[in-house]
Amino acid sequence: MKKLFIKTYGCQMNVYDSARMADVLAPAGFEMTAAPEAADLVILNTCHIREKAAEKVYSELGRLRAIKAAAAGRGRTMLIGVGGCVAQAEGEEMQHRAPFVDIVFGPQNYQDLAQMVEDAARGTAVLKTEFPARPKFDSLPERRRQGQTAAFISVQEGCDKFCTFCVVPYTRGAEYSRPAADIIAEARAVVAGGVSEITLLGQNVNAYHGAAPSRTAPGSALGQREWGLGRLIRDLAGIDGLARIRYTTSHPSDMDDDLIAAHGEVEALMPHLHLPVQSGSDRVLAAMNRRYTVDQYTSVAERLRAARPDIALSSDFIVGFPGESDSDFEATLDLARRLGYAQAYSFKYSARPGTPAAERPDQVPEDVKSARLTRLQTELKSQARTFNEACVGRVMDVLFDRPGRYRGQMAGRSPYLQAVHVTPGDGEAQALRGRILPVRITEGHANSLAGTLAERAPLGAGP
Ligand code: 5AD
Ligand code: SF4
């Protein structure tokens, strides 16, 4: 067997893509290794969303170049591939700057990876960054079963929203939704393999509008041509053994009535939603081309809470968008305080070459961005801690999926996506893996909870 090492940067979409790259390369004789030194093929799956993404990739490539040279000295060939959004954005430039890279390929091209590796092995430098007409999902091999307890399933890719700060529409291309039947088949396969939680993934996941399965095709009783995300979730919830469904990342203006209602009606749909707001100022939201106002966002949050009163919201914020004034920023702080988030990420605006906001003359000075970020993060951290502390004393179902940091410890996720640790001791900890069990929460920290296994019978079904 040849050895494959993949380093993944960025979002869950990339984590998913990396797993699928491994699936694509398995029939070509590649198995994963944890050590780049041992690899015949090293792939960097890159992210371009913020900060000096390209620079980070080039410095990692510098390290790989030395490993490649050392391998060559021992008479072994190591191929280097760079995929993902930095590869898409850099393209030919990367071949010039790092000629020892054998394969440069964009996020829409990994279904052809085996062929690219073959070409590279024959000494041809490979560059593939086009957006093919054929959706990449269609030609992927059967997903391998890996004894996981939770799985990502990509349902939608790309984005047509063109927020003025964001590279995604340029690196990931136009929006595409997978046919519902394919997603249902993939979900059934992973659940049959032992998975009890799936997370539906997409850059703009709630814009999902995939072809309906043929049983609801025109002429049948239901007659819907396309399904929205709410409809898809209702169908997936019928899969035996699937206890939990999540989806990410959503755009506030695509939260339609059916999806909101699903939060109140579908038991398997977990009471947590990542709903990035980005800013609390209407002026900045308009300049960002976010397509909603603060009032509209607030109303979505209120309707979600009406449908599912215990729903936990998380968010993304950008501070220091070009032209953001002190009062715009105060409005953001104010919105965060009013909404109350269970968890949130916040970032300093980072100018992405090629995006409209990067061209604006009114960029906010770095020190102002830093000061705003510190204030916002202080608020958001305290909200997360408050939320976690309020869980102490409650009994929550936890899906255990990984060993904890200490001996005898197991970790999992609460319905609200919090990390939860229990420490039942060496023997018992392992037996928890893959099960959903009630846990009495005893401690709430900034980023996690601790608890003990509770007595009452489990609510959710384990595999
Ligand atoms: N600068 C800072 N943050 C950004 N994000 C996306 N693009 C930028 C940028 N240019 C953030 C947004 C998004 C998250 C994934 O990354 O908050 O929701
Ligand atoms: Fe980027 Fe906006 Fe699309 Fe999200 S909705 S991927 S922030 S352009």
Side-chain angles (χ1 to χ4, degrees):
M1 284 297 257
K2 289 173 279 182
K3 302 283 185 204
L4 167 66
F5 175 83
I6 305 182
K7 177 164 179 169
T8 307
Y9 300 80
C11 65
Q12 282 154 336
M13 193 64 110
N14 267 11
V15 174
Y16 176 85
D17 280 358
S18 292
R20 301 316 309 268
M21 286 182 204
D23 290 347
V24 169
L25 289 170
F30 282 94
E31 65 177 16
M32 295 296 280
T33 173
E37 293 80 7
D40 301 285
L41 171 62
V42 172
I43 294 177
L44 302 183
N45 189 10
T46 61
C47 169
H48 207 225
I49 199 113
R50 286 179 301 273
E51 310 304 337
K52 304 168 183 80
E55 291 318 309
K56 277 189 212 154
V57 171
Y58 283 112
S59 79
E60 182 68 24
L61 282 174
R63 281 191 285 279
L64 289 176
R65 179 189 206 165
I67 297 175
K68 180 175 178 153
R74 295 192 304 270
R76 227 169 42 79
T77 308
M78 179 182 122
L79 296 176
I80 301 178
V82 182
C85 294
V86 173
Q88 182 71 38
E90 291 278 294
E92 231 171 282
E93 173 67 21
M94 182 166 282
Q95 289 185 310
H96 290 139
R97 242 182 103 174
F100 53 92
V101 171
D102 303 281
I103 310 170
V104 178
F105 61 107
Q108 298 302 320
N109 302 107
Y110 63 67
Q111 71 274 38
D112 303 321
L113 201 49
Q115 184 62 48
M116 291 188 249
V117 171
E118 218 176 277
D119 293 347
R122 281 200 302 269
T124 317
V126 179
L127 172 67
K128 221 168 163 44
T129 51
E130 72 262 30
F131 293 108
R134 176 176 55 127
K136 76 179 182 192
F137 305 106
D138 290 4
S139 48
L140 291 173
E142 264 287 287
R143 190 166 169 156
R144 286 172 305 154
R145 294 181 183 175
Q146 294 169 325
Q148 297 158 295
T149 59
F152 293 129
I153 296 183
S154 184
V155 305
Q156 178 278 339
E157 266 226 50
C159 182
D160 293 339
K161 292 282 190 303
F162 289 91
C163 299
T164 55
F165 53 81
C166 184
V167 285
V168 166
Y170 309 95
T171 58
R172 291 274 174 170
E175 208 217 292
Y176 167 77
S177 293
R178 274 176 95 182
D182 291 8
I183 297 163
I184 295 163
E186 189 172 338
R188 285 188 188 285
V190 295
V191 172
V195 160
S196 47
E197 173 177 304
I198 60 173
T199 302
L200 307 175
L201 281 186
Q203 257 94 30
N204 202 167
V205 70
N206 58 342
Y208 177 79
H209 58 103
S214 51
R215 64 189 140 96
T216 56
S220 77
L222 288 166
Q224 281 169 286
R225 279 167 200 278
E226 282 190 345
W227 279 7
L229 191 63
R231 180 68 186 85
L232 178 67
I233 287 169
R234 290 170 200 273
D235 198 84
L236 292 171
I239 297 177
D240 242 6
L242 179 59
R244 293 176 158 199
I245 302 173
R246 305 179 186 278
Y247 59 95
T248 198
T249 293
S250 295
H251 191 286
S253 64
D254 289 323
M255 288 305 301
D256 64 28
D257 292 343
D258 185 46
L259 184 55
I260 292 175
H263 278 277
E265 294 161 12
V266 179
E267 204 193 331
L269 188 54
M270 289 293 100
H272 169 266
L273 184 65
H274 187 59
L275 197 64
V277 67
Q278 313 296 1
S279 168
S281 151
D282 282 340
R283 210 175 63 84
V284 174
L285 288 173
M288 287 176 164
N289 190 30
R290 285 294 287 180
R291 302 155 192 253
Y292 53 81
T293 60
V294 171
D295 278 355
Q296 284 165 337
Y297 180 92
T298 307
S299 136
V300 170
E302 280 167 359
R303 284 156 60 216
L304 279 161
R305 283 174 173 161
R308 180 79 205 228
D310 67 331
I311 198 164
L313 296 178
S314 63
S315 190
D316 293 339
F317 292 86
I318 296 177
V319 299
F321 183 83
E324 184 188 72
S325 67
D326 283 338
S327 65
D328 291 324
F329 173 68
E330 293 303 328
T332 297
L333 264 182
D334 187 54
L335 174 96
R337 287 192 192 110
R338 267 189 299 118
L339 264 285
Y341 287 103
Q343 195 263 334
Y345 300 98
S346 45
F347 313 102
K348 288 192 265 186
Y349 169 72
S350 155
R352 307 283 77 205
T355 59
E359 310 294 321
R360 286 183 50 157
D362 48 355
Q363 300 291 325
V364 173
E366 213 40 46
D367 56 335
V368 175
K369 286 188 206 172
S370 299
R372 288 179 186 166
L373 187 67
T374 304
R375 282 185 65 202
L376 180 59
Q377 288 189 337
T378 304
E379 170 64 27
L380 295 170
K381 263 188 211 152
S382 116
Q383 291 191 359
R385 188 179 274 280
T386 304
F387 180 75
N388 288 343
E389 283 171 355
C391 295
V392 174
R394 286 183 59 183
V395 174
M396 288 182 189
D397 281 347
V398 174
L399 169 57
F400 291 99
D401 60 352
R402 59 191 186 278
R405 206 181 304 160
Y406 303 103
R407 261 190 86 169
Q409 204 177 53
M410 237 0 233
R413 294 276 168 195
S414 78
Y416 310 102
L417 205 61
Q418 296 145 296
V420 184
H421 300 93
V422 299
T423 315
D426 270 352
E428 246 185 274
Q430 266 311 315
L432 300 178
R433 199 184 196 125
R435 302 185 64 193
I436 296 176
L437 294 169
V439 170
R440 184 172 303 282
I441 305 303
T442 53
E443 293 168 41
H445 304 289
N447 298 309
S448 66
L449 304 174
T452 53
L453 290 167
E455 294 299 309
R456 91 174 148 73
L459 286 179

